[in-house]
Amino acid sequence: MTGFKPTGNVVFTDTTNNKVLGTAALVSTDTAGTANLSVSFSTVGTRSISAAYAGDVNNNASSSALFSLAVKTTPSISLKVTPTTATAGQPLALTATVVANTLNTSFPTGTVKLFDNGVSVGSINLTGSAKTSVATLNQIFSQAGKRTITAAYSGDASNNAVSSASFDITLSKANSTTKLTINPNIVTAGQTTVLTANVTGINQTGSVTFTDATNSTVLGISNLTGIGNSKNAVLSVAIPNTATKSIIATYNGDANNNVSSSPATAIAVNKASALATITTNTLIAGLRQVVNFTASITGVNPTGSVDFTNASNQVLGSILLSGTANLKTAVFSTSFNSIGNQVVKAVYKGDLNNSTVTSAPVTVSVKIAPAITLQLTPNAVNAGGLVQAQVQLTNSETLGAFPTGTVEIKDGGVVLGRVNLSGSLKSSSGSISVPITLSGARFITAVYLGDTNFMSVTSVPVLVQVKQTAIVSIIPTAIFARAGFSTNIIGLVYGTNPTGSVSFTDSKGTNYGTAALTGFGHMKSASIIARFNTRGTYTITANYLGDGANAPGKSSVLTVNVL
């Protein structure tokens, strides 16, 4: 209160029931005074308190305005979490119990807010009877680990706000479940199948390992995909080796979910149908000639060996496969000591992944290779000239008789003629005259076409020098001449760089002169000065005498009228 050094007492009254609470002496300063009274109330409720000063010699009496005072009690609050042992994702009941003070006659009302590690997880209204109220919040925590739970009561008109002691609970990892499906569940070796693992848990993350439990082989690892508490991991894989396999999918767990494995799921892996083919480097072979047979096996990384068998299924040889991936080969080399058709097959024995398979047969015709010689007479001719070809074939083997059939005489790829053979004992022969039209060095061969027992052979080439027939023409300077006067006559020769000379004669054999060729290349010329002493008609011819590369040639007739 204020005044001039106020003294005396102040009376405090609860006007709600007009009860004097007590009197307190002023402690004054020059202009104010203070009176303090400690008092307690035995019942809760709102009180209207007044302070009355009686005055002194210097100050008049005065009263304060009413002061409203809410009288509350502090309740007790306890917290429990059930169940006390739980896993991540398991529902928990968070129960706060608020009990009113003994001085309070009714149960607390209002709300309780619940906290997880200091973060609010929800607020719920109290319900109660007598002097006790309860609030329960059902809560799911998706993360494993320690949780510190507290409850805070908000208070009401007769109860103060209050907070509980903390309640600690440690959540274990959730138990996940894993299921495995396989589609298709019957495959051949090397065929791809799809493994799908379905994992349920609490917002599970991480990966799934797919294992062939038959031999503890890891087939692959795949990450989970999807949303929520049911996710899938998918692996496309070709299961190696044949047999019935047991596949297990193992979820590897994460921070909130335990590891789990599916039951073993069966998949039947059957052998692949392998494919076998056989080829040879020749379909016609001579006695004791080495022949190569190549077996090609297509499958799922085929391994093992191939048997090469004859028509009687007798094994001629067994060769291991070589190569990489799904196509491998085996090469077998052999020779035959008898003539006729030899049938060979490739028999693949199979392995864990591939079935046994036999190729279609390949047939090699085994024949005698006769010796062949060719003689040509003469060994130098003019283009278009005839050459006598003499052919002889000899069988040096103990098997068989003499070769029969036909021999072709060939200039390169051109057939000049055909010889029908005749023979006795172990030898055959024949001859023919053939024209050779192309000039230059010609290499002539004899090609025996073969028969049932003897194979085709070719002789060593025989050289024949063939001269080109030169092309000769005559050019007059005039077709009329005067008796006793000179006339120029020119001969042209076209050939292979022709050399030598040209003579000019008439139909009576008179030689008017011979001149050497001059010029360059394939066209050269020779000329004379001729004198006709008597009148008449003369027919002149240019005669090329030839050289080492060109055959002789003659021009057409030139008619000269001499006046």
Side-chain angles (χ1 to χ4, degrees), residues 508-548:
K508 297 177 181 181
T510 304
N511 187 346
Y512 290 92
T514 299
L517 287 171
T518 60
F520 300 95
H522 296 293
M523 177 72 77
K524 295 183 179 179
S525 64
S527 64
I528 63 169
I529 303 297
R531 181 188 291 246
F532 302 97
N533 294 321
T534 59
R535 296 174 181 174
T537 299
Y538 296 84
T539 55
I540 309 299
T541 302
N543 305 287
Y544 172 55
L545 303 180
D547 60 11

Side-chain angles (χ1 to χ4, degrees), residues 244-277:
T244 298
K245 304 287 188 176
S246 294
I247 310 302
I248 294 176
T250 301
Y251 170 54
N252 298 314
D254 62 9
N256 300 312
N257 297 272
N258 287 318
V259 173
S260 63
S261 294
S262 72
T265 303
I267 179 172
V269 184
N270 300 320
K271 288 188 177 185
S273 297
L275 174 66
T277 60

Side-chain angles (χ1 to χ4, degrees), residues 473-482 487-490 504-507 512 530 532 535-542 555-563:
S473 59
I474 189 169
I475 301 175
T477 55
I479 59 173
F480 294 96
R482 292 183 64 184
T487 298
N488 189 23
I489 301 174
I490 300 173
F504 297 87
T505 61
D506 63 12
S507 58
Y512 290 92
F532 302 97
R535 296 174 181 174
T537 299
Y538 296 84
T539 55
I540 309 299
T541 302
S555 73
S556 59
V557 174
L558 168 66
T559 301
V560 179
N561 296 303
V562 179
L563 304 177

Side-chain angles (χ1 to χ4, degrees), residues 377 385-390 409 416-419 431-436:
T377 307
L386 294 176
V387 172
Q388 182 72 18
Q390 178 69 40
I409 308 302
L416 303 178
R418 291 179 173 84
V419 179
S431 64
I432 188 174
S433 294
V434 293
I436 303 180

Side-chain angles (χ1 to χ4, degrees), residues 295-297 301-306 319-323 327-331 348 351:
S296 298
I297 307 299
N301 191 27
T303 60
S305 61
V306 175
I319 304 296
L320 288 173
L321 287 171
S322 63
L327 174 61
K328 296 186 179 178
T329 59
V331 179
Y348 173 52
D351 61 10

Side-chain angles (χ1 to χ4, degrees), residues 43-46 70-75 99-101 103-109 153-161:
T43 60
V44 296
T46 300
V71 179
K72 298 181 180 183
T73 61
T74 299
V99 180
N101 188 280
L103 298 177
N104 206 328
T105 59
S106 64
F107 55 83
T109 61
Y153 170 51
S154 61
D156 62 10
S158 60
N159 293 276
N160 290 317

Side-chain angles (χ1 to χ4, degrees), residues 11 13 88 105 155-156 173-175 277 301 324 412 444 470 476 497 499 530 540 542:
V11 178
T13 303
T105 59
D156 62 10
K173 289 184 179 182
N175 292 321
T277 60
N301 191 27
T324 59
I444 309 303
N497 193 24
T499 61
I540 309 299

